[in-house]
Amino acid sequence: MKNLVKGAALLVVMFLSTQFANAQQKIGHVSFNEIFSLTTDFKTAQDQLKTLGEAKTKEIQALYTEFQTKQTAANDKLRNRSEANKDKVDAELQTLGTELQDMQNRITEFQRLAQEEVQKKEEELFTPIQKKVADAITAVSKEKGYAYVLDVSTGSIPYFQGGDDLTPAVKSKLGIK
């Protein structure tokens, strides 16, 4: 019986000490997206992506202009078709139709490849920035003794009240004003 009382008392003490330790853990929050979008690296990367996107758009527009020119030529041939030149024009239209279909396929493929290239470049540029911000958040959290830091910019935290906003400290660590 005496051992049972000692065991129960030990369990109560362990439970209370665990609760006390949990109550002492600090919780903070940051806005990852805000920090990420304010870095100078982000602005540089965004400019590079914009330039790449504009270049790809011009290339696609040039292909589409060539397509429209051939399509207009085919429509003109069709309008000028007569019984006298029917066979010759039909053969030319057949050839133009095949060329137009090939061009359409090339344009579609070029658009797909351009989109993939832009996405790959975006990942290549943004991944190191994301790591840099995450490392800064980790460093600030450790320096300030936080057990948990939540990202409030994702919208996946249904409710939080209070806690310490570490966003300014992380911005400062990254040299963002």
Side-chain angles (χ1 to χ4, degrees), residues 30 105-106 113 128:
V30 296
N105 291 340
R106 282 196 331 257
L113 291 173

Side-chain angles (χ1 to χ4, degrees), residues 16 23-24 42 53 56 67 70 74 93 116 129 134 137 139 146 161 164-165 172-173 175:
L16 290 176
Q24 297 301 316
F42 173 79
K56 294 299 176 185
F67 176 83
K70 284 192 183 246
L93 287 173
E116 284 179 9
I129 302 167
I137 291 169
Y146 285 86
Q161 181 177 356
D164 297 323
D165 185 3
S172 176
K173 182 131 190 115

Side-chain angles (χ1 to χ4, degrees), residues 24-163:
Q24 297 301 316
Q25 292 181 340
K26 292 169 62 175
I27 298 174
H29 58 88
V30 296
S31 177
F32 186 93
N33 290 343
E34 177 185 343
I35 297 166
F36 178 75
S37 66
L38 290 175
T39 63
T40 55
D41 295 339
F42 173 79
K43 293 170 184 158
T44 302
Q46 200 172 32
D47 289 343
Q48 288 178 11
L49 284 175
K50 182 180 177 185
T51 302
L52 178 62
E54 289 170 351
K56 294 299 176 185
T57 299
K58 284 180 183 177
E59 291 177 41
I60 291 169
Q61 287 173 340
L63 289 172
Y64 190 69
T65 299
E66 183 182 346
F67 176 83
Q68 287 178 319
T69 302
K70 284 192 183 246
Q71 191 172 31
T72 301
N75 288 338
D76 289 345
K77 284 188 183 284
L78 186 60
R79 272 194 300 267
N80 294 327
R81 186 174 134 209
S82 65
E83 282 300 317
N85 66 2
K86 180 181 179 207
D87 292 337
K88 180 181 174 190
V89 171
D90 284 349
E92 289 174 1
L93 287 173
Q94 181 69 28
T95 303
L96 278 173
T98 302
E99 288 177 17
L100 286 170
Q101 185 61 45
D102 288 344
M103 283 187 76
Q104 183 65 45
N105 291 340
R106 282 196 331 257
I107 291 170
T108 302
E109 181 66 9
F110 187 83
Q111 286 174 322
R112 185 186 66 76
L113 291 173
Q115 184 177 11
E116 284 179 9
E117 185 178 342
V118 169
Q119 286 174 342
K120 183 178 178 184
K121 187 68 170 177
E122 181 178 351
E123 184 178 318
E124 176 187 309
L125 293 171
F126 286 163
T127 299
I129 302 167
Q130 290 169 335
K131 182 175 178 355
K132 183 178 177 180
V133 171
D135 289 347
I137 291 169
T138 300
V140 168
S141 300
K142 286 181 179 179
E143 288 169 9
K144 296 190 177 275
Y146 285 86
Y148 299 97
V149 176
L150 308 172
D151 179 9
V152 296
S153 64
T154 61
S156 63
I157 301 168
Y159 175 79
F160 80 96
Q161 181 177 356

